[in-house]
Amino acid sequence: MLLRHTTKEVKEREGLTINPAKTCQPIGAMYAALGIHGCLPHSHGSQGCCSYHRSTLTRHYKEPVMAATSSFTEGASVFGGQANLLAAIETIFSVYEPDIIAVHSTCLSETIGDDLQQITRKARDDGKIPEGKHVIFASTPSFIGSHVTGYANMVTGIAEQFAVSTGTKKNQINIIAGWMEPSDMREIKRLSKELGVKIVLFPDTSDVLDAPQTGKHVFYPKGGTTVEELQSTGDSIYSLALGSISAEPAAIALEKKCKVGFETLDIPIGLTATDRFIMKMSEVAKVSVPDEITEERGRLVDVMADMEQYLYGKRVALFGDPDQLLPLTEFLLDLNMKPVHIVSGTPGQRFEKDMRQLLDARSPETNFKNGLQADMFLLHQWMKNEPVDLLIGNTYGKYMARDEDVPFIRFGFPILDRIGHSYFPNVGYSGGLRLVEKILSALMDRQDRDALEEKFELVM
Amino acid sequence: MEANLHFPDPSVVREELIQKYPTKVAKKRAKSIIVNDPEIIPEVQANVRTVPGIITQRGCSYAGCKGVVLGPTRDIVNIVHGPIGCSFYAWLTRRNQTRTESLMDANYIPYCFSTDMQEENIVFGGEKKLKIAIQEAYDLFHPKSIAIFSTCPVGLIGDDVHAASKEMREKFGDCNVFGFSCEGYRGVSQSAGHHIANNGVFKHMVGRNNTPSVGKFKLNLLGEYNIGGDAFEIERIFDKVGITLVSSFSGNSTVSQIENAHTADLNVILCHRSINYMGDMMETKYGIPWMKVNFVGADSTAKSLRKIAEYFGDEGLKAKVEEVIAEEMPRVKAIIEEILPRTTGKTAMLFVGGSRAHHYQDLFSELGMTTVAAGYEFAHRDDYEGRDVLPKIKVDADSKNIEELKVLPDPELYNPRKTEAELEALKEKGLEINGYSGMMKQMTKKSLIVDDLSHYESEKLIEIYKPDIFCAGIKEKYVVQKMGIPLKQLHSYDYGGPYTGFEGAVNFYKDIDRMVNNPVWKLIKAPWQKAAITNGKSKGLEASYVTQ
C-alpha cells in the first residue's frame, strides 16, 4: 500500500494539510501569461518558485515553458526586490527580446511588501522598457487562494493593463478563458468559428503549449493572444467569462475599465454546460446555431442514451478545481452517475454556494468540501468509508486509485504521467464525447477484468 | 577507436555566448565560462548569485534541503511550514525510490505535509498553526521523527521553527522533532539547502543510537539518493562483496540507520557537493574518514570497489571484490561492445547538478563519446577545480549566511579509524581520502566549462556544437528536443534507471544508444519539406532558435 498510513477514521484537522488538492498562486499566473503572444512570464521571488513552476508546467505539457526569475537572495529579502526586478527587466529585454514581460509576485515578495506597480513604473521611468514593449504585473501571494486564484489575478492584470476603450465598438465578443487546456481553447475557437462569431479569446495557450516539432525552438511560439487583440477587448460588445473563479474577475475589471458588459458561464464541460455556452453565444452575437453543432450535440446525446446502462448509478469521487468541478459534476449527474465525494483545495464561498446548490437539487447526500484541509487525504478517508466505482482527478490520484483498486481517470491539473490533455479537448460536445468514452472505457475495462469466466461478455 | 572531431575554437564560442548580454552581465558571465586545461586548471567562478532575469536552471535552498537531502528518508514526516506550493512541488517529483521490508513499516514518501499558511498566519505569525500541525501529525501517524522545513515567508515573519520543534519534541518524548531554516532565499542555489540539511541531520540525527553495527567492513554511503533505484544496485553489489551498509544519506534510508551511522568505519561520498559537509563533520567528531567514490560507470564502479577494499586493507575483501568484478563485467562488456559502433565518436554536453555533470562523463566515455562542454547548476569551485582550491575560495555574503557548525571530537565516541600515517599511505595509492579532484582534471583540453548555464547560453552552445545528446533537467528537456537534439534528464533519468553499478551502466548504454540513434530525429521534416530542401528552396534541419 502506497498510502498505508491513511486511516479510515476521519479526524478534524486545523493545522495540517495532507496531500493537497491545490497548489499556489504563482503557477497559475505563469500559465496564464504563457497565453499571451510574445510574453515572457517573470517570477518575482526566489529562484525555487520559478524552477518549481516551470518544472510542473513542463511535466504537464511536455513542452518548453520559458519564464524568468528575480533570483532573490537574503539581501533582496531584507532590502526589497526592486533592484533585482529592474536588473531582470533589463537583462530580459536585451537577451530574450519579448514583447511583454508579465511579472507575478510570490509569497516572499508579498511578505516584504514589494509593490509591483511602483517598480514597473520605475522601470518605465528609468527607460528600461524599450519603446513598444510592455511590462505587466499581477499580485499573486501564495498564502491566499490557490493556483486558480493566481490564474485569475494574472488574467485580470492582462485585461486591466491592456484593454483600451476607443469609443468605437467592435463587432466581437471577448471570451475570457477560465483555466483550461490548450486543446480546450482551440475547441472554443473552433466552436465560435462554426457559430460565425468573431471572438477574442484570452488567454490562449493553444499553439504555445502544444507546439509542433520543427527542429527549431521557437522561443515565442505563434500562439497566444496578441497585444492588439488584447487592446481591442475594451471595444468588444460583450464578454463571456468561462468560470466564476478563474475568469470572472477579469470580466469585472473589463467592465469597470471599458464598460464592456459581461456574463459568467461555466466552462463548457459536458452537455448542459455546453448547451448554455452555445445558447449564450447565439444570443449575444445574434446568430443561429448551425446544423453542424446541433449534430455534434446529437452524437453526444446518442452515446449517452446507448450506453446508459454502464453509467447508471456508478459512484464517483472527484477532486480538482472549482471551475472544472462544477460542470463536471453536472455532467456526471446528466450521465445518471453518482458523484459521492467532491474535494477542492481552492477556497471560496461562491464556489461552495454554487456546488451546494447543484448538489442540493440533484444529489444532496454527496460529501463536498473545499478550502482549507479539503485535501486528498480527506477524500481518501471518505473513499475508505464509502467506496466508489471511479476516481476522477489529477495524477496524484493514482496513488489512491491503486491502493483502493478503483478505476481512475486523469482530469485537471497537473497530469504528469499521461499525454492527451493538451491535444484532445474536454470542452464542447466533442470534449463531452471524449469524457464519456474515457469513463466508459475505465468502467468497462474493469468489468472485463473482474468478470467471472462465464460472465465475460463479447458484446457490450 | 579515436574520435575524429572538429570543434570550434572554444574561446571564440565563449565570446559569442556573452555577446548579447548587457555589459555588466557579460562581464560577470565571462568568469563562469572557461576553456578547460586539465594541466593548469583555470579558475571558474561558481556558487555566486545568478543574474536576475537570465533564465537559470537553479532552484532554491528549500529544494536542496527538503527535496534533495531529507526527502529520501522514508520514515520521517516532513512538514513544510509555508504556503502550500513548496510542499506540493516537492511531492514525489524526485523519484527517490524506497523499499520497506514489510507493509507495516513506515513510509511517508508518498505523502505531502504542509501547514498551508494563510494570510492571517503571515500577519500574526504561524508558529501556533505549526505546532497544531505537528501535534496532528503525531496523533495521526506516531512517527519516529518529524522534520520542519521553513519556506521564504517563515524567516521573514520570524517564526521560530527550532523553538517550536523543541517544544513539541519535549512534549512528545518519543518523537524526534527538529527544524530547518532552509528558506528559499538563503544562499544562491540549492547548494545552501544541502549545507543546512547536513547541519541539521548531523545535529539532530547522527549519533542518537550507539548500538554497535555488525559486520567486518562497515561503511556509509553519502550523497546517494536512490533516484531510479540507484541505491538498490549499489546495495546489491555491496551485499555480494560482503560490505555492510550501515546507513545511506539518504537514498532508501530510515531514521534509525542514520542515527547509527557513526558506528561505521568509512564514509564513501558519491555526490560531493550535497554531502561533503557531513563527511568532514563525522570525521572530526567520530574519526571516520571519508573517501570520494563514483558508482556511475562500470569501470568507475570496479575502481571504487577496489578503493574500498584497499581502504579496509583486507586480502579476503580484495579477492572478493575481484571475484565480483570478474563475474559482473563480462555481461557489461558484451553489451557495450555491441553498442559501441553506434555511439563512438558522438558528442555530449552535460549541464546538471553538483556532481552528475562529472560522474556521467565516465559513462559517456565508456560509450566512446566525448563530452565537449559541461557545467554544474549549483556546484562550488572545489567541484570543478578540486578540493585543493578550498583555502583560496573567498567566502562571500551569501555563503556567510549559512551556518558552519563548530564540531569537536566527541569525548567518548571519537575513535580515529586510521592513523594519519595510514591515511597518507592510502592517499599515495590514489585513494581520494578526504579529497576530491573535481571535474576539470578529467575533461579534455579546450573543452568548455560553464557554471550556472543560462537558457540563452544553452541554445547558443547547441547551435554551435550540435551535440548528439544534451544532458540536463526537465526544464531544458523539451526546449532542446524541439531543436532536434535528444535530451537525457540526469535528475529524473527520464523515469528510467538505475544508472549506477554494473546493471546501471548497461541501462545507460542502452538508453543512450536508443536516444542518439532514434529514427524520430530523422522524421522531423515532412516529405514535401525535404523535397523543397533538395530543390534548394529551404535550409535543412538545423539546431537553432528564434526569439522573434
Side-chain angles (χ1 to χ4, degrees), chain B residues 250-299:
Chain B
S250 51
N252 194 32
S253 68
T254 63
V255 170
S256 59
Q257 286 166 4
I258 292 175
E259 290 179 344
N260 193 230
H262 61 297
T263 63
D265 295 321
L266 171 67
N267 283 326
V268 293
I269 291 190
L270 274 79
C271 174
H272 172 260
R273 182 66 272 133
S274 61
I275 208 85
N276 73 89
Y277 320 94
M278 182 63 71
D280 278 345
M281 292 189 289
M282 281 178 73
E283 159 128 60
T284 310
K285 186 164 177 183
Y286 303 107
I288 309 170
W290 64 265
M291 176 167 73
K292 178 76 183 75
V293 294
N294 176 20
F295 287 106
V296 179
D299 292 336

Side-chain angles (χ1 to χ4, degrees), chain A residues 4 6 14 96-97 217, chain B residues 20 54 105 111 136 459 548:
Chain A
R4 63 184 64 165
T6 304
E14 285 171 14
Y96 298 109
E97 302 172 35
H217 171 228
Chain B
K20 208 177 174 190
I54 202 162
D105 293 340
Y111 288 87
E136 287 170 350
E459 298 228 16
Q548 286 294 299

Side-chain angles (χ1 to χ4, degrees), chain B residues 96-109:
Chain B
N96 309 114
Q97 298 185 359
T98 202
R99 196 185 275 151
T100 58
E101 272 165 35
S102 84
L103 267 176
M104 307 299 289
D105 293 340
N107 176 16
Y108 301 105
I109 290 181

Side-chain angles (χ1 to χ4, degrees), chain A residues 1-7 11-20 22-24 27 40 42 46-56 58-59 62-75 77 84 87-88 90-92 94-99 107-108 111-112 133 142-145 211-220 372-373 376-377 381 394 396 399 414 416, chain B residues 20-22 25 49-60 62-63 79 83-86 88-93 100 102-108 110-119 122 129 132-133 136-137 139-141 152-153 156-157 184-189 398 401 454-456 459 474-475 478-479 481-484 495 521 524-525 541-548:
Chain A
M1 299 289 269
L2 287 158
L3 300 167
R4 63 184 64 165
H5 303 286
T6 304
T7 49
K11 274 191 202 157
E12 190 86 359
R13 281 172 281 132
E14 285 171 14
L16 190 65
T17 293
I18 311 171
N19 303 347
K22 66 166 176 183
T23 181
C24 66
I27 195 170
L40 186 69
H42 181 87
S46 295
Q47 276 158 192
C49 311
C50 186
S51 180
Y52 276 135
H53 304 147
R54 288 182 65 202
S55 297
T56 305
T58 304
R59 291 180 183 121
K62 314 226 177 298
E63 283 294 313
V65 173
M66 306 313 300
T69 165
S70 290
S71 293
F72 272 50
T73 56
E74 197 148 354
S77 308
N84 289 52
E90 192 183 351
T91 306
I92 290 168
S94 25
V95 184
Y96 298 109
E97 302 172 35
D99 294 330
C107 49
L108 171 55
T111 303
I112 63 174
K133 306 264 180 173
S142 320
F143 42 78
I144 298 172
Q213 171 63 271
T214 61
K216 274 185 200 289
H217 171 228
V218 183
F219 198 100
Y220 302 105
L372 296 181
Q373 275 86 38
M376 282 185 229
F377 187 74
Q381 290 182 315
N394 71 35
Y396 284 100
Y399 290 79
L416 307 170
Chain B
K20 208 177 174 190
Y21 289 135
V25 177
R49 289 179 193 180
T50 299
V51 174
I54 202 162
I55 308 192
T56 173
Q57 299 182 315
R58 283 177 170 177
C60 65
Y62 158 79
I79 301 178
I84 198 68
C86 304
F88 181 85
Y89 303 116
W91 182 15
L92 285 167
T93 45
T100 58
S102 84
L103 267 176
M104 307 299 289
D105 293 340
N107 176 16
Y108 301 105
Y111 288 87
C112 170
F113 303 99
S114 169
T115 57
D116 189 9
M117 283 176 103
Q118 299 297 299
E119 192 168 23
I122 301 290
K129 189 173 193 185
I132 294 171
E136 287 170 350
D139 292 343
L140 275 168
F141 307 113
C152 292
L156 297 170
I157 63 172
Y185 55 76
R186 294 200 192 275
V188 299
S189 71
D398 297 309
N401 292 333
S454 76
H455 170 77
Y456 175 76
E459 298 228 16
I474 184 69
K475 300 192 292 291
Y478 305 103
V479 182
Q481 297 208 153
K482 276 280 193 281
M483 299 169 80
Y495 326 107
W521 305 116
I524 292 174
K525 289 289 174 212
L541 175 62
E542 54 178 307
S544 59
Y545 85 117
V546 183
T547 52
Q548 286 294 299

Side-chain angles (χ1 to χ4, degrees), chain B residues 216-217 241 314-321:
Chain B
K216 206 167 164 195
F217 313 111
V241 297
D314 181 275
E315 292 309 317
L317 179 63
K318 283 183 193 173
K320 188 71 196 171
V321 160

Side-chain angles (χ1 to χ4, degrees), chain A residues 259-305:
Chain A
K259 312 268 179 302
V260 183
F262 77 93
E263 192 159 332
T264 303
L265 299 173
D266 285 319
I267 294 178
I269 294 169
L271 185 79
T272 30
T274 305
D275 284 349
R276 288 194 295 273
F277 172 71
I278 299 291
M279 278 294 279
K280 187 51 69 181
M281 287 283 278
S282 122
E283 178 195 319
V284 174
K286 301 183 178 64
V287 292
S288 55
V289 179
D291 292 347
E292 284 78 6
I293 290 184
T294 314
E295 285 157 13
E296 265 181 49
R297 181 183 190 280
R299 282 194 286 273
L300 173 57
V301 182
D302 193 50
V303 169
M304 289 164 67

Side-chain angles (χ1 to χ4, degrees), chain A residues 40-262:
Chain A
L40 186 69
H42 181 87
S43 166
H44 187 52
S46 295
Q47 276 158 192
C49 311
C50 186
S51 180
Y52 276 135
H53 304 147
R54 288 182 65 202
S55 297
T56 305
L57 287 166
T58 304
R59 291 180 183 121
H60 179 81
Y61 288 111
K62 314 226 177 298
E63 283 294 313
V65 173
M66 306 313 300
T69 165
S70 290
S71 293
F72 272 50
T73 56
E74 197 148 354
S77 308
V78 174
F79 301 113
Q82 174 169 299
N84 289 52
L85 185 50
L86 293 176
I89 288 171
E90 192 183 351
T91 306
I92 290 168
F93 277 126
S94 25
V95 184
Y96 298 109
E97 302 172 35
D99 294 330
I100 305 147
I101 300 173
V103 186
H104 61 261
S105 59
T106 57
C107 49
L108 171 55
S109 51
E110 288 288 338
T111 303
I112 63 174
D114 273 359
D115 180 348
L116 292 183
Q117 183 164 21
Q118 173 262 317
I119 300 174
T120 49
R121 194 185 302 136
K122 183 167 167 56
R124 186 165 297 284
D125 295 345
D126 292 358
K128 291 192 191 299
I129 306 174
E131 198 56 40
K133 306 264 180 173
H134 310 267
V135 177
I136 63 165
F137 61 89
S139 169
T140 52
S142 320
F143 42 78
I144 298 172
S146 75
H147 57 296
V148 183
T149 323
Y151 178 93
N153 287 343
M154 181 51 85
V155 179
T156 306
I158 291 165
E160 268 171 356
Q161 292 163 69
F162 280 120
V164 184
S165 171
T166 62
T168 316
K169 282 281 175 197
K170 270 199 156 97
N171 189 22
Q172 62 183 25
I173 292 170
N174 301 325
I175 296 189
I176 302 166
W179 189 313
M180 55 176 84
E181 298 295 351
S183 52
D184 297 325
M185 295 174 181
R186 198 182 288 285
E187 180 65 5
I188 297 283
K189 289 192 286 189
R190 187 188 69 84
L191 284 171
S192 306
K193 203 170 168 188
E194 290 269 338
L195 281 163
V197 181
K198 189 172 183 309
I199 62 162
V200 174
L201 175 74
F202 76 94
D204 178 4
T205 55
S206 63
D207 287 321
V208 178
L209 290 166
D210 56 357
Q213 171 63 271
T214 61
K216 274 185 200 289
H217 171 228
V218 183
F219 198 100
Y220 302 105
K222 77 170 189 188
T225 319
T226 62
V227 170
E228 293 70 31
E229 287 169 326
L230 289 170
Q231 286 166 338
S232 78
T233 56
D235 289 332
S236 297
I237 46 176
Y238 205 64
S239 298
L240 292 182
L242 303 183
S244 62
I245 312 291
S246 54
E248 191 185 271
I252 294 171
L254 258 177
E255 184 181 53
K256 232 186 224 165
K257 186 177 178 190
C258 300
K259 312 268 179 302
V260 183
F262 77 93

